[in-house]
Amino acid sequence: MPTIGFSTGAIARDDFATALDLLAPTRASAVELSALRTAELQPLLAALPGLLPGLNKRYRYVSFHAPTNFDDERPMVQQLKTIADMGLNVVVHPDTIGDIPIWRALGSRLCLENMDSRKPVGRTAEELQPFFDMLPDAKLCLDIAHARQVDSSMTEAVRILRRFGGRLAQFHVSEINSKGTHFAMSFAAKRAYEPFAMVLSRTPVIIESMVTRDAIVREIAETEKLLTNHRYAAAHTADGRISPIQPAE
């Protein structure tokens, strides 16, 4: 069964304890602890040593999403290193990185996410390349909704996977509007993601759809259904079009 779970921020914003309670009885096998706003970091960081043993027992995969609204990078990196040292991948937006070398402190736990069309950098394979060049141990979090927003043909998603697929650590899955709000996948989004089902099913998938508590189970089930539908990936390769799971260039 694929490793599928939710971002705590998607289902309870800054209330990670409530989010974890909501996920506990579900089939989720992964969780991403979200601290998108700097004010959310310290409470979550303080709770993490007590939380982590239980989370590692409950879930196959646990990651952490760093804040996106900080100004001073050095103390932020120091705090995130504490989390990385606990063995969690730390998802970071490239547009928040200015002093690239100091982020090497996170080593292979640093997980760079491709950006949506509103951001000035990190949206494409070309824009991600300088970050990975200077952060050689960093991993990739592919946000497939961001990639679709940047290029609805999904060609850019293929380019990112071909170039950085060897670094792939996790996916973000949802649908996103022009204001950057994540919501449940539409039929059109699912069809766009179907050719990626095979590679998605082999990698931890974090759902970022902002759904109500009564929709959590349904969104997990819909994602599982999408990920186990491999026939589209096979057809995508067979008819001569680009396959997202071909080796890196």
Side-chain angles (χ1 to χ4, degrees):
M1 176 181 170
T3 300
I4 303 170
F6 255 97
S7 161
T8 58
I11 54 177
R13 195 174 169 84
D14 60 348
D15 188 353
F16 62 87
T18 293
L20 292 173
D21 286 343
L22 291 172
L23 289 175
T26 72
R27 289 167 56 88
S29 53
V31 66
E32 183 176 272
L33 302 168
S34 175
L36 282 181
R37 290 151 288 275
T38 301
E40 299 168 18
L41 178 59
Q42 202 55 47
L44 190 45
L45 185 58
L48 197 52
L51 280 176
L52 197 53
L55 294 179
N56 285 334
K57 185 176 181 179
R58 166 66 178 80
Y59 299 101
R60 294 200 295 263
Y61 180 77
V62 182
S63 63
F64 193 97
H65 200 304
T68 61
N69 66 335
F70 56 89
D71 296 315
D72 196 340
E73 289 178 86
R74 194 166 297 276
M76 177 57 64
V77 170
Q78 291 172 349
Q79 292 179 87
L80 295 176
K81 187 177 186 307
T82 301
I83 298 167
D85 288 344
M86 294 182 193
L88 302 187
N89 288 335
V90 179
V91 178
V92 175
H93 288 185
D95 66 305
T96 67
I97 295 177
D99 187 356
I100 296 179
I102 68 173
W103 291 85
R104 293 177 189 151
L106 301 187
S108 62
R109 290 300 176 182
L110 174 60
C111 200
L112 300 178
E113 178 180 354
N114 61 301
M115 294 287 89
D116 65 78
S117 60
R118 300 170 303 145
K119 301 299 177 68
V121 71
R123 298 162 295 186
T124 65
E126 289 297 325
E127 291 178 354
L128 287 167
Q129 188 69 60
F131 291 94
F132 284 118
D133 286 345
M134 296 186 70
L135 297 164
D137 296 325
K139 295 177 182 175
L140 169 68
C141 169
L142 181 64
D143 189 311
I144 199 163
H146 288 173
R148 178 172 177 249
Q149 187 194 57
V150 168
D151 176 8
S152 61
S153 75
M154 302 305 292
T155 302
E156 194 57 48
V158 173
R159 290 193 183 109
I160 293 172
L161 278 175
R162 282 187 169 184
R163 191 172 297 192
F164 308 116
R167 299 174 183 263
L168 185 63
Q170 68 171 63
F171 279 93
H172 281 166
V173 168
S174 68
E175 190 158 357
I176 187 172
N177 64 23
S178 60
K179 296 181 180 179
T181 301
H182 293 264
F183 55 95
M185 293 179 289
S186 66
F187 175 78
K190 291 173 189 175
R191 289 303 303 267
Y193 302 160
E194 280 169 350
F196 298 81
M198 190 172 294
V199 67
L200 280 160
S201 69
R202 296 171 177 171
T203 309
V205 171
I206 299 296
I207 303 168
E208 288 195 311
S209 307
M210 298 180 69
V211 297
T212 57
R213 61 182 62 198
D214 60 336
I216 293 171
V217 170
R218 182 173 67 249
E219 195 70 0
I220 292 172
E222 286 297 309
T223 304
E224 183 178 341
K225 181 179 177 182
L226 169 68
L227 268 56
T228 53
N229 194 352
H230 291 176
R231 64 191 177 89
Y232 289 97
H236 198 55
T237 304
D239 70 6
R241 289 180 287 163
I242 296 172
S243 168
I245 56 174
Q246 288 175 351
E249 293 174 334

